[in-house]
Amino acid sequence: MNKLWTVTLQTYWHQVKSWSFLLLILGPFFIIGCSALGGAIGANSDSDSQIAVISSNKQVRQNFIKNNDKYVDSKIKTTDSAKKAVKKEKIDGYLVFETQKNQVKAVYHGASPIDDELKPKVKSYLQVLQSQLNLQQAQLAPRQIKALQQQPKYREVLQKNHQGDKLVKMVSLIIVIMVVYMVLLSYSSITAQEIASEKGTKIMEIIFSSTTAAKYFLGKILGIFGVIITQLVIYIVGGWATYRWALHAKITASFMHDNQVIINKILGNLVNINLIFLILGVIIYTILAAFSGALVAKPEDSSKAAQSTTMLSLIAFFLSSAFISNPEQILPQVLSYVPFFSSFMMPIRIINGHVGNVEVILSLAILIVSIIGLLIYISKIYQGVILQTDDTSFWKRLKRGLAYS
Protein backbone atom coordinates (compact mmCIF):
# COMPACT_ATOMS: atom_id res chain seq x y z
CA MET A 1 0.00 0.00 0.00
CA ASN A 2 2.89 2.36 0.75
CA LYS A 3 4.20 1.89 -2.79
CA LEU A 4 0.76 2.72 -4.19
CA TRP A 5 0.73 6.07 -2.38
CA THR A 6 4.35 6.69 -3.36
CA VAL A 7 3.42 6.39 -7.05
CA THR A 8 0.31 8.52 -6.44
CA LEU A 9 2.22 11.35 -4.77
CA GLN A 10 5.04 11.23 -7.33
CA THR A 11 2.57 11.49 -10.21
CA TYR A 12 0.64 14.25 -8.44
CA TRP A 13 3.67 16.45 -7.72
CA HIS A 14 5.13 15.84 -11.17
CA GLN A 15 1.97 17.30 -12.73
CA VAL A 16 1.24 20.05 -10.20
CA LYS A 17 4.72 21.60 -10.32
CA SER A 18 4.77 21.72 -14.14
CA TRP A 19 4.34 24.94 -16.10
CA SER A 20 1.47 23.44 -18.10
CA PHE A 21 -0.59 22.95 -14.92
CA LEU A 22 0.15 26.51 -13.79
CA LEU A 23 -0.97 27.88 -17.16
CA LEU A 24 -4.04 25.66 -17.07
CA ILE A 25 -4.99 27.07 -13.68
CA LEU A 26 -4.19 30.71 -14.42
CA GLY A 27 -5.68 30.74 -17.94
CA PRO A 28 -9.36 31.32 -16.99
CA PHE A 29 -8.46 33.86 -14.30
CA PHE A 30 -6.22 35.68 -16.80
CA ILE A 31 -9.10 35.88 -19.27
CA ILE A 32 -11.47 37.15 -16.55
CA GLY A 33 -8.85 39.67 -15.41
CA CYS A 34 -8.34 40.98 -18.94
CA SER A 35 -12.11 41.33 -19.36
CA ALA A 36 -12.38 43.22 -16.08
CA LEU A 37 -9.46 45.45 -17.06
CA GLY A 38 -11.08 46.16 -20.41
CA GLY A 39 -14.31 47.02 -18.60
CA ALA A 40 -12.43 49.31 -16.23
CA ILE A 41 -10.69 51.07 -19.11
CA GLY A 42 -14.02 51.42 -20.87
CA ALA A 43 -15.63 52.79 -17.72
CA ASN A 44 -12.81 55.30 -17.27
CA SER A 45 -13.06 56.41 -20.88
CA ASP A 46 -16.80 56.86 -20.47
CA SER A 47 -16.29 58.90 -17.32
CA ASP A 48 -13.87 61.16 -19.21
CA SER A 49 -16.65 61.98 -21.67
CA GLN A 50 -18.47 64.76 -19.81
CA ILE A 51 -20.58 67.83 -20.40
CA ALA A 52 -21.09 71.13 -18.60
CA VAL A 53 -24.42 72.26 -17.12
CA ILE A 54 -25.36 75.94 -17.24
CA SER A 55 -28.34 77.57 -15.52
CA SER A 56 -29.19 80.91 -13.94
CA ASN A 57 -31.00 78.94 -11.22
CA LYS A 58 -28.29 77.50 -8.98
CA GLN A 59 -30.67 75.00 -7.37
CA VAL A 60 -31.71 73.58 -10.75
CA ARG A 61 -28.09 73.16 -11.76
CA GLN A 62 -26.97 71.62 -8.45
CA ASN A 63 -29.83 69.09 -8.32
CA PHE A 64 -29.05 67.84 -11.81
CA ILE A 65 -25.32 67.55 -11.08
CA LYS A 66 -26.03 65.76 -7.80
CA ASN A 67 -27.94 62.97 -9.60
CA ASN A 68 -25.67 62.79 -12.66
CA ASP A 69 -22.23 63.71 -11.35
CA LYS A 70 -20.33 61.17 -13.48
CA TYR A 71 -21.58 62.86 -16.67
CA VAL A 72 -20.96 66.47 -15.60
CA ASP A 73 -17.88 68.64 -15.19
CA SER A 74 -19.07 70.70 -12.23
CA LYS A 75 -16.18 73.20 -12.44
CA ILE A 76 -17.59 74.87 -15.57
CA LYS A 77 -20.40 77.26 -14.63
CA THR A 78 -20.72 79.82 -17.45
CA THR A 79 -21.56 79.61 -21.14
CA ASP A 80 -18.30 81.28 -22.21
CA SER A 81 -16.11 78.86 -20.25
CA ALA A 82 -18.19 75.95 -21.60
CA LYS A 83 -17.64 77.08 -25.21
CA LYS A 84 -13.88 77.32 -24.62
CA ALA A 85 -13.84 73.85 -23.04
CA VAL A 86 -15.68 72.39 -26.04
CA LYS A 87 -13.19 74.00 -28.45
CA LYS A 88 -10.28 72.55 -26.48
CA GLU A 89 -12.13 69.16 -26.46
CA LYS A 90 -12.09 69.04 -22.67
CA ILE A 91 -15.84 68.32 -22.69
CA ASP A 92 -18.22 66.98 -25.35
CA GLY A 93 -20.74 69.79 -24.99
CA TYR A 94 -22.81 71.84 -22.58
CA LEU A 95 -26.43 71.79 -21.46
CA VAL A 96 -28.31 75.04 -20.77
CA PHE A 97 -31.41 75.00 -18.53
CA GLU A 98 -33.73 78.03 -18.75
CA THR A 99 -37.35 79.01 -18.18
CA GLN A 100 -39.30 81.05 -20.75
CA LYS A 101 -42.99 81.89 -20.53
CA ASN A 102 -43.67 79.32 -17.82
CA GLN A 103 -41.97 76.57 -19.83
CA VAL A 104 -38.78 74.81 -18.79
CA LYS A 105 -36.28 74.27 -21.60
CA ALA A 106 -32.95 72.49 -21.97
CA VAL A 107 -30.71 73.12 -24.97
CA TYR A 108 -27.66 70.97 -25.61
CA HIS A 109 -24.72 72.37 -27.58
CA GLY A 110 -22.00 70.02 -28.82
CA ALA A 111 -20.18 68.57 -31.80
CA SER A 112 -21.82 65.14 -31.31
CA PRO A 113 -25.19 64.05 -29.87
CA ILE A 114 -25.62 63.84 -26.12
CA ASP A 115 -24.82 60.49 -24.46
CA ASP A 116 -27.61 57.91 -24.93
CA GLU A 117 -27.66 57.13 -21.21
CA LEU A 118 -27.82 60.81 -20.21
CA LYS A 119 -30.51 61.88 -22.68
CA PRO A 120 -33.45 60.14 -20.91
CA LYS A 121 -32.18 61.48 -17.57
CA VAL A 122 -32.32 65.04 -18.95
CA LYS A 123 -35.87 64.53 -20.25
CA SER A 124 -36.97 63.04 -16.93
CA TYR A 125 -35.46 65.95 -15.01
CA LEU A 126 -37.18 68.42 -17.33
CA GLN A 127 -40.51 66.70 -16.66
CA VAL A 128 -40.00 67.06 -12.91
CA LEU A 129 -39.08 70.73 -13.23
CA GLN A 130 -42.06 71.44 -15.49
CA SER A 131 -44.45 69.67 -13.10
CA GLN A 132 -43.15 71.76 -10.19
CA LEU A 133 -43.54 74.96 -12.20
CA ASN A 134 -47.08 74.03 -13.29
CA LEU A 135 -48.10 73.44 -9.66
CA GLN A 136 -46.72 76.84 -8.67
CA GLN A 137 -48.61 78.57 -11.48
CA ALA A 138 -51.87 76.75 -10.83
CA GLN A 139 -52.00 77.91 -7.16
CA LEU A 140 -53.93 74.81 -6.10
CA ALA A 141 -55.15 73.95 -2.64
CA PRO A 142 -53.11 71.41 -0.62
CA ARG A 143 -55.81 68.74 -1.15
CA GLN A 144 -55.68 69.24 -4.91
CA ILE A 145 -51.86 69.12 -4.92
CA LYS A 146 -51.98 65.84 -2.97
CA ALA A 147 -54.41 64.37 -5.50
CA LEU A 148 -52.12 65.31 -8.38
CA GLN A 149 -49.14 63.69 -6.65
CA GLN A 150 -50.83 60.29 -6.58
CA GLN A 151 -48.50 57.76 -8.30
CA PRO A 152 -49.46 54.68 -10.34
CA LYS A 153 -48.29 51.21 -9.31
CA TYR A 154 -46.60 48.64 -11.51
CA ARG A 155 -45.83 44.98 -10.82
CA GLU A 156 -44.98 41.87 -12.83
CA VAL A 157 -46.55 38.42 -12.59
CA LEU A 158 -44.30 36.02 -14.47
CA GLN A 159 -45.21 32.53 -15.60
CA LYS A 160 -43.08 29.59 -14.44
CA ASN A 161 -41.55 28.97 -17.87
CA HIS A 162 -40.74 32.59 -18.76
CA GLN A 163 -38.01 33.81 -21.07
CA GLY A 164 -35.48 34.15 -18.25
CA ASP A 165 -35.63 30.39 -17.60
CA LYS A 166 -34.88 29.70 -21.25
CA LEU A 167 -31.85 31.98 -21.11
CA VAL A 168 -30.64 30.31 -17.89
CA LYS A 169 -31.00 26.85 -19.41
CA MET A 170 -29.23 27.74 -22.65
CA VAL A 171 -26.28 29.49 -20.94
CA SER A 172 -25.98 26.67 -18.39
CA LEU A 173 -26.00 24.02 -21.11
CA ILE A 174 -23.32 25.75 -23.15
CA ILE A 175 -21.08 26.23 -20.10
CA VAL A 176 -21.51 22.62 -18.92
CA ILE A 177 -20.74 21.12 -22.34
CA MET A 178 -17.73 23.38 -22.89
CA VAL A 179 -16.30 22.79 -19.39
CA VAL A 180 -16.70 19.01 -19.63
CA TYR A 181 -15.12 18.93 -23.09
CA MET A 182 -12.18 21.22 -22.25
CA VAL A 183 -11.33 19.40 -19.00
CA LEU A 184 -11.57 16.00 -20.72
CA LEU A 185 -9.41 17.20 -23.58
CA SER A 186 -6.73 18.59 -21.26
CA TYR A 187 -6.43 15.59 -18.97
CA SER A 188 -6.74 12.99 -21.72
CA SER A 189 -3.65 14.49 -23.35
CA ILE A 190 -1.80 14.86 -20.02
CA THR A 191 -2.53 11.26 -18.97
CA ALA A 192 -1.70 9.69 -22.31
CA GLN A 193 1.64 11.49 -22.51
CA GLU A 194 2.44 10.69 -18.85
CA ILE A 195 2.00 6.95 -19.52
CA ALA A 196 3.49 6.91 -23.03
CA SER A 197 6.68 8.65 -21.91
CA GLU A 198 7.56 5.55 -19.86
CA LYS A 199 7.10 3.18 -22.76
CA GLY A 200 10.03 0.86 -23.40
CA THR A 201 12.20 2.17 -20.56
CA LYS A 202 14.16 -0.33 -18.46
CA ILE A 203 13.00 1.39 -15.30
CA MET A 204 9.51 -0.08 -15.81
CA GLU A 205 10.88 -3.61 -15.46
CA ILE A 206 12.65 -2.58 -12.24
CA ILE A 207 9.46 -0.98 -10.90
CA PHE A 208 7.39 -4.08 -11.66
CA SER A 209 9.93 -6.23 -9.84
CA SER A 210 9.24 -4.29 -6.63
CA THR A 211 5.49 -3.68 -6.97
CA THR A 212 2.61 -4.98 -9.04
CA ALA A 213 1.58 -3.39 -12.32
CA ALA A 214 -1.95 -3.03 -10.95
CA LYS A 215 -0.76 -0.91 -8.00
CA TYR A 216 1.47 1.17 -10.27
CA PHE A 217 -1.36 1.82 -12.73
CA LEU A 218 -3.81 2.61 -9.94
CA GLY A 219 -1.26 4.99 -8.38
CA LYS A 220 -0.91 6.84 -11.70
CA ILE A 221 -4.67 7.23 -12.03
CA LEU A 222 -5.06 8.37 -8.41
CA GLY A 223 -2.25 10.91 -8.86
CA ILE A 224 -3.88 12.44 -11.93
CA PHE A 225 -7.27 12.33 -10.20
CA GLY A 226 -5.70 14.36 -7.37
CA VAL A 227 -4.55 16.93 -9.92
CA ILE A 228 -8.08 17.14 -11.35
CA ILE A 229 -9.62 17.66 -7.90
CA THR A 230 -6.98 20.30 -7.10
CA GLN A 231 -7.84 22.21 -10.25
CA LEU A 232 -11.60 22.02 -9.62
CA VAL A 233 -11.18 23.18 -6.00
CA ILE A 234 -9.06 26.14 -7.15
CA TYR A 235 -11.66 27.02 -9.79
CA ILE A 236 -14.54 26.79 -7.30
CA VAL A 237 -12.78 28.88 -4.64
CA GLY A 238 -11.42 31.34 -7.20
CA GLY A 239 -14.79 31.52 -8.96
CA TRP A 240 -16.58 32.24 -5.67
CA ALA A 241 -14.05 34.95 -4.82
CA THR A 242 -14.49 36.48 -8.28
CA TYR A 243 -18.26 36.36 -7.88
CA ARG A 244 -18.10 38.16 -4.51
CA TRP A 245 -15.72 40.73 -5.97
CA ALA A 246 -18.00 41.35 -8.95
CA LEU A 247 -20.95 42.04 -6.62
CA HIS A 248 -19.13 45.02 -5.10
CA ALA A 249 -16.74 46.20 -7.84
CA LYS A 250 -17.74 49.51 -9.37
CA ILE A 251 -17.46 48.31 -12.98
CA THR A 252 -19.61 45.18 -12.47
CA ALA A 253 -21.87 45.90 -9.49
CA SER A 254 -24.78 47.31 -11.53
CA PHE A 255 -24.68 44.41 -14.02
CA MET A 256 -24.54 41.84 -11.21
CA HIS A 257 -27.41 43.51 -9.38
CA ASP A 258 -29.61 43.64 -12.48
CA ASN A 259 -28.94 40.00 -13.42
CA GLN A 260 -28.29 38.39 -10.03
CA VAL A 261 -31.27 36.03 -10.20
CA ILE A 262 -30.19 34.67 -13.59
CA ILE A 263 -26.53 34.41 -12.54
CA ASN A 264 -27.44 32.53 -9.34
CA LYS A 265 -29.56 30.06 -11.30
CA ILE A 266 -26.71 29.45 -13.76
CA LEU A 267 -24.26 28.86 -10.91
CA GLY A 268 -26.80 26.51 -9.31
CA ASN A 269 -26.88 24.46 -12.52
CA LEU A 270 -23.09 24.14 -12.45
CA VAL A 271 -22.37 23.37 -8.80
CA ASN A 272 -24.77 20.46 -8.25
CA ILE A 273 -25.08 16.86 -9.48
CA ASN A 274 -23.66 18.02 -12.84
CA LEU A 275 -20.30 18.58 -11.15
CA ILE A 276 -20.25 14.89 -10.13
CA PHE A 277 -20.95 13.86 -13.73
CA LEU A 278 -18.08 16.10 -14.83
CA ILE A 279 -15.63 14.53 -12.36
CA LEU A 280 -16.69 10.96 -13.19
CA GLY A 281 -16.54 11.71 -16.91
CA VAL A 282 -12.98 13.00 -16.57
CA ILE A 283 -12.00 9.89 -14.59
CA ILE A 284 -13.30 7.40 -17.15
CA TYR A 285 -11.68 9.30 -20.03
CA THR A 286 -8.45 9.50 -18.01
CA ILE A 287 -8.41 5.70 -17.61
CA LEU A 288 -9.00 5.25 -21.34
CA ALA A 289 -6.27 7.79 -22.13
CA ALA A 290 -3.84 5.93 -19.85
CA PHE A 291 -4.62 2.70 -21.69
CA SER A 292 -4.11 4.46 -25.05
CA GLY A 293 -0.78 5.83 -23.83
CA ALA A 294 0.37 2.35 -22.83
CA LEU A 295 -0.44 1.01 -26.31
CA VAL A 296 1.91 3.28 -28.29
CA ALA A 297 5.00 1.63 -29.77
CA LYS A 298 7.60 4.02 -28.34
CA PRO A 299 7.82 7.21 -26.21
CA GLU A 300 8.24 9.34 -29.34
CA ASP A 301 4.63 8.52 -30.23
CA SER A 302 3.27 10.03 -27.00
CA SER A 303 1.74 12.94 -28.92
CA LYS A 304 -0.43 10.44 -30.81
CA ALA A 305 -1.44 8.53 -27.70
CA ALA A 306 -4.50 10.63 -26.88
CA GLN A 307 -5.93 10.65 -30.40
CA SER A 308 -8.43 7.84 -29.80
CA THR A 309 -9.66 9.41 -26.55
CA THR A 310 -9.82 12.85 -28.15
CA MET A 311 -11.89 11.51 -31.06
CA LEU A 312 -14.35 9.81 -28.70
CA SER A 313 -14.75 12.96 -26.60
CA LEU A 314 -15.15 15.01 -29.80
CA ILE A 315 -17.98 12.72 -30.95
CA ALA A 316 -19.66 13.08 -27.53
CA PHE A 317 -19.21 16.85 -27.69
CA PHE A 318 -20.79 17.22 -31.13
CA LEU A 319 -23.67 14.88 -30.27
CA SER A 320 -24.44 16.81 -27.09
CA SER A 321 -24.27 20.10 -29.02
CA ALA A 322 -26.65 18.72 -31.65
CA PHE A 323 -29.25 17.68 -29.06
CA ILE A 324 -28.86 20.66 -26.73
CA SER A 325 -32.35 21.92 -27.63
CA ASN A 326 -34.00 18.49 -27.96
CA PRO A 327 -32.57 16.31 -25.18
CA GLU A 328 -35.65 14.07 -24.97
CA GLN A 329 -35.22 12.42 -28.33
CA ILE A 330 -34.49 8.69 -28.22
CA LEU A 331 -30.75 8.93 -29.00
CA PRO A 332 -29.77 11.40 -26.22
CA GLN A 333 -31.98 9.47 -23.79
CA VAL A 334 -30.11 6.24 -24.54
CA LEU A 335 -26.67 7.92 -24.54
CA SER A 336 -27.38 9.50 -21.14
CA TYR A 337 -26.88 6.00 -19.69
CA VAL A 338 -23.88 5.03 -21.82
CA PRO A 339 -20.41 5.56 -20.24
CA PHE A 340 -18.22 8.09 -22.12
CA PHE A 341 -21.42 9.85 -23.26
CA SER A 342 -23.50 10.17 -20.08
CA SER A 343 -21.25 12.95 -18.69
CA PHE A 344 -22.38 15.09 -21.62
CA MET A 345 -25.97 13.93 -22.14
CA MET A 346 -27.35 13.53 -18.62
CA PRO A 347 -26.46 17.11 -17.48
CA ILE A 348 -28.35 18.39 -20.53
CA ARG A 349 -31.45 16.45 -19.49
CA ILE A 350 -31.06 17.54 -15.85
CA ILE A 351 -30.83 21.25 -16.72
CA ASN A 352 -33.87 20.98 -19.00
CA GLY A 353 -35.80 19.39 -16.12
CA HIS A 354 -36.89 16.36 -18.14
CA VAL A 355 -35.38 13.65 -15.95
CA GLY A 356 -36.25 12.20 -12.53
CA ASN A 357 -34.03 11.31 -9.59
CA VAL A 358 -34.27 7.57 -10.33
CA GLU A 359 -32.91 8.08 -13.86
CA VAL A 360 -30.07 10.30 -12.59
CA ILE A 361 -29.08 7.74 -9.93
CA LEU A 362 -29.22 4.91 -12.48
CA SER A 363 -26.96 6.82 -14.90
CA LEU A 364 -24.51 7.62 -12.08
CA ALA A 365 -24.49 3.98 -10.94
CA ILE A 366 -23.74 2.72 -14.46
CA LEU A 367 -20.94 5.25 -14.84
CA ILE A 368 -19.36 4.38 -11.46
CA VAL A 369 -19.57 0.62 -12.10
CA SER A 370 -18.02 1.14 -15.56
CA ILE A 371 -15.14 3.16 -14.06
CA ILE A 372 -14.44 0.48 -11.44
CA GLY A 373 -14.70 -2.36 -13.96
CA LEU A 374 -12.47 -0.59 -16.51
CA LEU A 375 -9.93 0.27 -13.83
CA ILE A 376 -9.73 -3.32 -12.57
CA TYR A 377 -9.51 -4.84 -16.05
CA ILE A 378 -6.82 -2.47 -17.37
CA SER A 379 -4.76 -2.83 -14.19
CA LYS A 380 -4.69 -6.60 -14.77
CA ILE A 381 -3.39 -6.34 -18.33
CA TYR A 382 -1.31 -3.18 -17.79
CA GLN A 383 2.03 -4.97 -17.45
CA GLY A 384 1.58 -6.82 -20.72
CA VAL A 385 0.61 -3.62 -22.50
CA ILE A 386 3.24 -1.22 -21.14
CA LEU A 387 6.15 -3.63 -21.68
CA GLN A 388 5.39 -4.19 -25.38
CA THR A 389 8.18 -2.57 -27.38
CA ASP A 390 7.84 -4.15 -30.83
CA ASP A 391 6.87 -1.73 -33.59
CA THR A 392 3.76 -3.54 -34.81
CA SER A 393 0.37 -2.16 -35.75
CA PHE A 394 -1.88 -0.62 -33.14
CA TRP A 395 -4.46 -3.38 -33.51
CA LYS A 396 -1.91 -6.13 -32.97
CA ARG A 397 -0.66 -4.45 -29.82
CA LEU A 398 -4.24 -3.98 -28.65
CA LYS A 399 -5.11 -7.65 -29.34
CA ARG A 400 -1.99 -8.86 -27.53
CA GLY A 401 -2.65 -6.52 -24.61
CA LEU A 402 -6.28 -7.64 -24.24
CA ALA A 403 -5.15 -11.28 -24.33
CA TYR A 404 -2.60 -10.73 -21.55
CA SER A 405 -3.45 -12.20 -18.16
Side-chain angles (χ1 to χ4, degrees), residues 214-228:
K215 285 184 178 180
Y216 184 79
F217 177 73
L218 182 59
K220 284 285 187 183
I221 297 300
L222 288 176
I224 294 172
F225 176 65
V227 178
I228 295 169

Side-chain angles (χ1 to χ4, degrees), residues 356-370:
N357 292 332
V358 175
E359 295 171 277
V360 174
I361 293 172
L362 178 60
S363 178
L364 273 177
I366 294 172
L367 186 55
I368 292 171
V369 170
S370 300

Side-chain angles (χ1 to χ4, degrees), residues 192-255:
Q193 291 187 28
E194 172 79 19
I195 300 296
S197 62
E198 300 173 343
K199 188 75 175 184
T201 57
K202 290 293 182 181
I203 195 171
M204 291 306 300
E205 298 179 12
I206 299 172
I207 291 173
F208 290 157
S209 66
S210 60
T211 187
T212 63
K215 285 184 178 180
Y216 184 79
F217 177 73
L218 182 59
K220 284 285 187 183
I221 297 300
L222 288 176
I224 294 172
F225 176 65
V227 178
I228 295 169
I229 295 299
T230 300
Q231 181 179 356
L232 290 177
V233 169
I234 292 173
Y235 281 173
I236 291 172
V237 174
W240 176 252
T242 303
Y243 172 74
R244 299 302 302 177
W245 169 83
L247 286 174
H248 302 95
K250 186 177 180 181
I251 61 175
T252 56
S254 60
F255 173 81

Side-chain angles (χ1 to χ4, degrees), residues 62-75:
Q62 288 174 358
N63 287 342
F64 183 83
I65 294 175
K66 182 179 179 181
N67 296 321
N68 304 280
D69 58 330
K70 71 174 184 177
Y71 299 101
V72 180
D73 186 342
S74 58
K75 296 178 182 178

Side-chain angles (χ1 to χ4, degrees), residues 316-337:
F317 173 75
F318 280 120
L319 283 173
S320 60
S321 300
F323 292 106
I324 193 170
S325 301
N326 301 293
E328 292 309 302
Q329 294 187 19
I330 186 64
L331 182 58
Q333 284 191 51
V334 172
L335 291 178
S336 65
Y337 300 100

Side-chain angles (χ1 to χ4, degrees), residues 169-184 270 274 278 313-314 316-325 343-345 347-348 351-352:
K169 288 180 181 179
M170 184 57 63
V171 174
S172 300
L173 289 169
I174 293 172
I175 293 176
V176 166
I177 291 174
M178 290 302 299
V179 168
V180 172
Y181 177 69
M182 294 305 297
V183 174
L184 291 181
L270 300 179
N274 292 327
L278 185 153
S313 62
L314 194 62
F317 173 75
F318 280 120
L319 283 173
S320 60
S321 300
F323 292 106
I324 193 170
S325 301
S343 297
F344 287 90
M345 293 297 181
I348 294 178
I351 291 174
N352 276 281

Side-chain angles (χ1 to χ4, degrees), residues 30 45 58 111 122 158 200 211 299 333 352:
F30 178 75
S45 63
K58 292 182 179 180
V122 173
L158 301 177
T211 187
Q333 284 191 51
N352 276 281

